[in-house]
Each structure stands twice: as C-alpha cells, then as structure tokens.
Amino acid sequence: ADSRQMMEWDIAVKTEAAEERGLKRGREEGLEEGLERGLEEGLERGLERGREEGLERGREESQRAIARSFLKLGRPIEEVAQATGLSVEAVQSLLQ
C-alpha cells in the first residue's frame, strides 16, 4: 500500500508540475502573440494616421499656395479667404 501511495503521489506531483509548465508556456506564447498582433495593429494605425496627416498638410499647403497667388494678383484678403477656405487671419499671415 505504501508503494502504491508513493506512486500515486509521484504521479500527482509530476502531473501538477507538467500543468504548471504548460500554463507558463501558454501564457508566454499568448503574450508573444498578443504583442505581435498589437504591434502590427499599432503600426497599421500609425501609418494610416501618418498618411491622413500628410494629405491634410498637403491640402493646407496647396490652399496657402493658391492664396499667395491670389494675393500677388491683388485680390482682397476676404475674397482670398473665401475662395481658398482659409481664415482671414491665415491669409493675412501669408502677407508677412
């Protein structure tokens, strides 16, 4: 009976240790997969945001260039603002 109990206890200890190793490995793999997925999604979002900001800056610079051209032609500030969608203050700042 003692050797049987020792064998059962030994099996229980080994099983528990294997479960702990499995849980640890599963957590590590899950964390690694989560980090990879998070980095990919973060990179995608960052690139998309960068593209959007770049396009917006390009549109703004284009509006300023058009406004400068109108101002060189002697058009009134208010008219230039209305035509380009820039604020009167933004158009005035182009004169400086």
Side-chain angles (χ1 to χ4, degrees), residues 38-93:
L39 286 172
E40 287 174 13
E41 288 178 14
L43 181 59
E44 257 181 59
R45 287 181 189 163
L47 288 172
E48 180 62 29
R49 186 174 179 184
R51 278 190 289 269
E52 289 171 3
E53 288 178 7
L55 287 172
E56 182 61 30
R57 285 184 186 157
R59 280 190 288 270
E60 290 171 1
E61 185 54 42
S62 177
Q63 289 171 318
R64 286 191 294 272
I66 292 168
R68 282 187 200 95
S69 295
F70 276 131
L71 292 170
K72 285 180 184 176
L73 293 172
R75 305 309 301 185
I77 291 173
E78 292 77 15
E79 185 179 306
V80 174
Q82 186 177 10
T84 60
L86 295 172
S87 68
V88 170
E89 294 80 18
V91 174
Q92 287 173 333
S93 73

Side-chain angles (χ1 to χ4, degrees), residues 1-9:
D2 280 337
S3 66
R4 182 177 168 95
Q5 286 177 337
M6 291 290 286
M7 192 183 320
E8 288 175 357
W9 181 80

